[in-house]
Amino acid sequence: MSEQSKSSQAPGHPPRVVIVGAGIAGVQTAVALREQGWPGTITLIGDEPHQPYDRPPLSKAVLLGKADGSAFDVDFAGLAIDLHLGRRVTALVPEDRVVETAEGPVPYDHAVIATGADPITLPGSEGLPGVHLLRTLDDAERLRPVLAAQHEIVVVGAGWIGAEFATAAREAGCAVTVVEAADRPLAGALPPEVAAHMTGWYADAGAELRLGARVASVTSGAVTLADGTVLPADAVVVGIGARPATAWLAGSGVEVSAEDGSVLADEQLRASAPDVYAVGDCASFPSTRYGTRLLVHHWDNALQGPRTVAENIARAGSEGLIYDPVPYFWSEQFGRFVQYVGHHVDSDELVWRGDPSGAAWSVLWLRGAGGPGEAPSGSPAGRLVALLAVGRPRDLAQGRKLIERGVALDRERAANAAVPLKAAAR
């Protein structure tokens, strides 16, 4: 990583921070800067015309018409945050210390990349009537009348967003078919033996789940699968993942992952250009805790990371704050509250806690003392590195603290759902 300059302030001007992206990561960075006593200007640039808003309610209250929006309760004017909405950023030019926008350049002393992630589209479906994504407030507003009309809907993708949308659509009374190319739901997040117990949730809610089903084509009013099956669809909702919104950084010199498109931030969330930081869904960072680089596309990361960025900007020149969180996210689907904390790999040992056919259960991932992925067979204890809780919020709360502390658990006691998880600590 390039060394961050200790003083880049233009002569005669207060220090300037320009934040690109007005989602939760960008907004929280701006607010945290003021909380840190940042004396200079803060410019927050968003490409949507709406007041900055929170995204989780989009797949729930906003989609179902229970709320008109989810704007952040932030007094931008009172905090002297210069908010520019509906303004498209086109480039970052570190050598000139400017952010280029469609309305002209914006100079900076410190820049923060907080552009989030863009949904992955289904090839051949772009621009087709009746084909929807669910990422923005406008997306949710377009889908609201579809649900209200109780249409027949095909959801492509049985990941987190697909499950949450299917839940809302069934609550609204729609006929829902979910098609997933993998052999299980949540294939990118959970191992087969865990995801298998979530398959029945769809049928219980009255939704049809088709696994191993690849989409061959989408036309207005129908989805055709690779095996020739034609599924009628008044609307198609595509939820097959998201990719960091970093294409605008091409030519900037900011290092971006060739694998996933994320800004390759360092342990202090600095990008490879001087005085440039990256935070939220668009940035990956090295985790000493897990011995790997993490890209976390979840709300909690976009909330926590800005505090590190703000402190490192406000205290430029001093020893920087390290960002090494325990990742956390949650999902509400089919009447269940699902929470996950930590990070696991396939070689970590899986320990069941409770009956997965019931309403409340947890899964633990334990790792041996030998390093990431090494869990000696027969060892009486292993370090807790991740936990999935279904309807067991106490397990989640206790497990999060144990993971943060790097605590090893007694396997037998940890597997006993009647024993408080913290009581299994060695």
Side-chain angles (χ1 to χ4, degrees):
M1 292 289 172
S2 300
E3 288 294 323
Q4 303 292 293
S5 60
K6 293 185 179 180
S7 178
S8 58
Q9 181 181 340
H13 293 278
R16 302 162 296 188
V17 173
V18 175
I19 303 168
V20 184
I24 184 172
V27 169
Q28 289 298 320
T29 299
V31 172
L33 278 166
R34 289 299 184 220
E35 291 174 346
Q36 287 288 336
W38 176 253
T41 64
I42 301 174
T43 301
L44 181 62
I45 304 174
D47 61 355
E48 293 185 54
H50 310 290
Q51 282 291 309
Y53 59 89
D54 206 6
R55 293 188 188 275
L58 298 185
S59 61
K60 305 172 185 72
V62 175
L63 193 61
L64 290 170
K66 298 177 181 179
D68 292 326
S70 53
F72 292 118
D73 184 18
V74 175
D75 183 1
F76 294 101
L79 291 172
I81 296 170
D82 190 12
L83 182 61
H84 294 265
L85 300 175
R87 189 169 187 177
R88 187 171 62 90
V89 171
T90 57
L92 179 73
V93 188
E95 58 268 29
D96 296 334
R97 292 186 177 274
V98 298
V99 171
E100 294 285 357
T101 76
E103 288 78 21
V106 182
Y108 69 82
D109 296 300
H110 301 273
V112 180
I113 302 167
T115 42
D118 291 326
I120 297 172
T121 58
L122 193 65
S125 69
E126 296 92 337
L128 282 178
V131 177
H132 302 263
L133 301 169
L134 181 53
R135 186 71 178 177
T136 69
L137 180 59
D138 287 339
D139 292 337
E141 292 291 354
R142 282 190 288 267
L143 278 165
R144 183 188 288 184
V146 174
L147 267 63
Q150 298 185 335
H151 280 313
E152 192 166 11
I153 298 174
V154 172
V155 180
V156 181
W160 300 111
I161 192 66
E164 290 187 359
F165 177 81
T167 298
R170 285 299 301 138
E171 185 177 335
C174 298
V176 178
T177 300
V178 180
V179 296
E180 169 57 53
D183 62 355
R184 62 189 188 276
L186 298 170
L190 298 174
E193 59 267 43
V194 177
H197 293 284
M198 299 174 167
T199 302
W201 296 359
Y202 288 79
D204 292 345
E208 181 182 1
L209 174 63
R210 289 175 172 258
L211 299 173
R214 295 188 176 276
V215 175
S217 65
V218 177
T219 57
S220 183
V223 173
T224 302
L225 303 181
D227 65 1
T229 301
V230 178
L231 302 174
D234 296 308
V236 178
V237 177
V238 179
I240 54 176
R243 186 173 175 84
T246 55
W248 65 281
L249 293 169
S252 68
V254 171
E255 191 176 359
V256 173
S257 168
E259 180 180 351
D260 57 34
S262 65
V263 176
L264 294 172
D266 70 5
E267 67 279 358
Q268 297 178 13
L269 296 182
R270 301 177 301 183
S272 57
D275 298 307
V276 177
Y277 294 78
V279 67
D281 289 4
C282 67
S284 59
F285 54 90
S287 171
T288 300
R289 185 190 307 274
Y290 289 105
T292 190
R293 176 170 287 272
L294 298 180
L295 174 60
V296 182
H297 280 184
H298 295 293
W299 185 89
D300 191 64
N301 176 58
L303 177 69
Q304 302 297 337
R307 298 170 186 169
T308 297
V309 171
E311 183 165 336
N312 288 340
I313 290 175
R315 301 181 182 181
S318 61
E319 185 176 349
L321 190 66
I322 302 299
Y323 187 62
D324 195 4
V326 175
Y328 165 75
F329 70 89
W330 79 96
S331 176
E332 296 177 70
Q333 50 184 271
F334 307 117
R336 295 166 175 84
F337 188 43
V338 183
Q339 297 171 282
Y340 178 93
V341 64
H343 173 75
H344 73 272
V345 295
D346 290 343
S347 53
D348 291 327
E349 181 182 358
L350 192 152
V351 176
W352 290 96
R353 184 171 164 83
D355 181 1
S357 66
W361 48 276
S362 296
V363 175
L364 316 177
W365 283 269
L366 303 182
R367 183 173 297 176
E374 299 179 14
S377 177
S379 176
R383 178 167 59 93
L384 181 64
V385 294
L387 182 149
L388 174 77
V390 178
R392 289 183 68 95
R394 184 171 296 179
D395 277 2
L396 191 289
Q398 293 181 12
R400 189 172 192 173
K401 294 178 180 177
L402 293 169
I403 294 171
E404 288 172 348
R405 290 162 43 201
V407 173
L409 301 184
D410 178 277
R411 284 172 169 77
E412 185 176 345
R413 289 180 64 78
N416 187 342
V419 175
L421 191 58
K422 62 183 179 182
R426 292 292 296 262

